[in-house]
Amino acid sequence: MTSAAPSDLATRPGRRSCHAVEATIREVWSEHFGRAVGPDEDFYDLGGDSISVVDVVVALRALGLEVRASAALRFPTPARLAESLTVGAGPAGLIDVPALRRPGDLAAATQLHPIRSGTGVPLIVVHSVSHVEAQRDAVRRWATARPAYGLTLPGGPHTSISALADHLRSFLPGGPLRFLGFGPGAAVATELARRYPQDTEPVVLIDPPAIGRPTGGPGSALDRILDRQARRFGLDGDETLPEVHAEMERAGWFRGTPTNGLPQLHRTAAGLAEALDEYHPEPFRGPAVLFHDASRDPTPAETWAPVLPDAVVHRRDYGICSPRRLIDDPLVATTASGALS
């Protein structure tokens, strides 16, 4: 099969990316309601109901999206409906992406890099894998006075989150530190905070995944991650690595990542997922602030409650897997700024 040019991936026959499906849904809703509709606007709040949803579904089907009225009502925002039709849908079996499975050309070494200068106790930011640039931008807005450093996680299998934290500690400066973690990095930030006890300054966790609950299912953690990526970005497995990279960047994922670094990042994510499945830590006896999407199942806060008994929990209601909503959320920004100031 001859691969399409990167600019054609979003419209190639067969699969559509979540980004492209969301854009189509927003276009149909905007025409139906007579104004521009954002990705997180609710169908009911816009004035829709179980009768008008039929017109919307007919319009979406005319554009090639196989949508049921029940799904449009169950997932009532463009972002949630798009994810249900792509990431959360599809026939049984896993979609492979060979371009992301092959060994990468870049070593995933631990790196500690400056994010912003300042005075006071340094902030160590433990990044997730997919949205590092967005996380750095957010930290620059939130931590307006103190110095901040980003910590990228090494690739490969990890025996445990605790062992990974022990390894990473040698890369950190001495003295008191504060910690902020995004996604899987939230667990590592918590373990690092155990090693730098603080009485008053909380560890801040943004969008941590559920922990201690092995997902199981067919294939390895890497198989399942590649399957979700294939569905999110409309991949069928025939794409070259530059084509995959172009589609991911178009949707705002892995920005700033060299093309040949993508395979290693996906193996890093798989190693973290396996370690998080087996993460059953003792309670963290320190202050913490946790932000999570309460519409996910299982709710991450439920699995974290025994670990962070003293946490202040802020629940949002986006109901999607993409971490970008919480990173950009105004309430998260205001609350995180207060916790980090």
Side-chain angles (χ1 to χ4, degrees):
M1 171 180 173
T2 302
S3 297
S7 60
D8 296 332
L9 282 176
T11 56
R12 71 193 312 176
R15 301 188 185 279
R16 298 192 200 184
S17 71
C18 185
H19 180 68
V21 170
E22 180 186 298
T24 299
I25 295 170
R26 291 176 62 185
E27 178 183 348
V28 168
W29 286 24
S30 296
E31 182 174 350
H32 180 81
F33 292 111
R35 70 168 181 85
V37 173
D40 301 307
E41 292 196 73
D42 190 281
F43 183 77
Y44 301 103
D45 292 341
L46 290 165
D49 54 35
S50 58
I51 297 176
S52 61
V53 74
V54 175
D55 294 332
V56 171
V57 167
V58 169
L60 291 173
R61 284 177 169 267
L63 295 174
L65 294 181
E66 293 300 319
V67 186
R68 294 177 180 271
S70 58
L73 293 173
R74 181 183 177 189
F75 304 103
T77 71
R80 293 178 72 174
L81 183 55
E83 279 203 350
S84 76
L85 295 172
T86 55
V87 182
L94 300 175
I95 304 169
D96 195 14
V97 187
L100 293 178
R101 186 179 291 279
R102 71 189 188 196
D105 298 322
L106 296 181
T110 301
Q111 296 182 29
L112 186 68
H113 50 82
I115 295 178
R116 60 161 291 113
S117 59
T119 58
V121 177
L123 174 67
I124 304 299
V125 181
V126 187
H127 291 295
S128 66
V129 175
S130 60
H131 289 74
V132 173
E133 280 200 354
Q135 293 160 13
R136 292 175 186 172
D137 290 342
V139 170
R140 293 186 186 101
R141 298 192 302 271
W142 301 344
T144 56
R146 67 177 66 242
Y149 300 88
L151 186 64
T152 57
L153 300 177
H158 304 297
T159 56
S160 70
I161 296 296
S162 180
L164 179 57
D166 287 336
H167 166 72
L168 295 173
R169 188 176 182 181
S170 63
F171 294 89
L172 302 182
L177 299 172
R178 299 196 64 186
F179 294 93
L180 181 155
F182 289 93
V188 180
T190 301
E191 288 303 311
L192 287 171
R194 290 182 195 274
R195 292 152 175 77
Y196 292 83
Q198 300 173 67
D199 296 328
T200 59
E201 299 196 11
V203 57
V204 178
L205 313 180
I206 312 291
D207 198 31
I211 57 175
R213 294 188 178 184
T215 53
S220 65
L222 180 58
D223 292 332
R224 295 190 292 273
I225 286 173
L226 295 185
D227 177 69
R228 289 196 299 269
Q229 297 285 278
R231 298 183 191 281
R232 177 172 295 281
F233 299 108
L235 308 175
D236 55 26
D238 287 339
E239 298 83 3
T240 66
L241 190 57
E243 289 174 338
V244 173
H245 184 265
E247 185 60 25
M248 290 180 173
E249 284 243 329
R250 180 180 296 109
W253 289 57
F254 301 99
R255 279 190 175 154
T257 299
T259 301
N260 59 356
L262 280 177
Q264 183 62 61
L265 286 179
H266 284 80
R267 286 198 298 279
T268 298
L272 288 170
E274 291 171 346
L276 288 167
D277 283 348
E278 304 301 325
Y279 184 51
H280 299 279
E282 294 296 321
F284 174 72
R285 298 300 179 183
V289 179
L290 185 152
F291 301 89
H292 79 108
D293 191 329
S295 295
R296 295 188 190 172
D297 184 25
T299 302
E302 294 175 357
T303 64
W304 279 88
V307 183
L308 302 173
D310 300 321
V312 176
V313 179
H314 297 274
R315 296 172 173 84
R316 308 303 287 147
D317 191 27
Y318 291 104
I320 61 174
C321 300
S322 172
R324 190 60 192 258
R325 296 297 194 273
L326 285 179
I327 296 173
D328 293 336
D329 186 286
L331 175 64
V332 174
T334 299
T335 310
S337 295
L340 296 173
S341 63

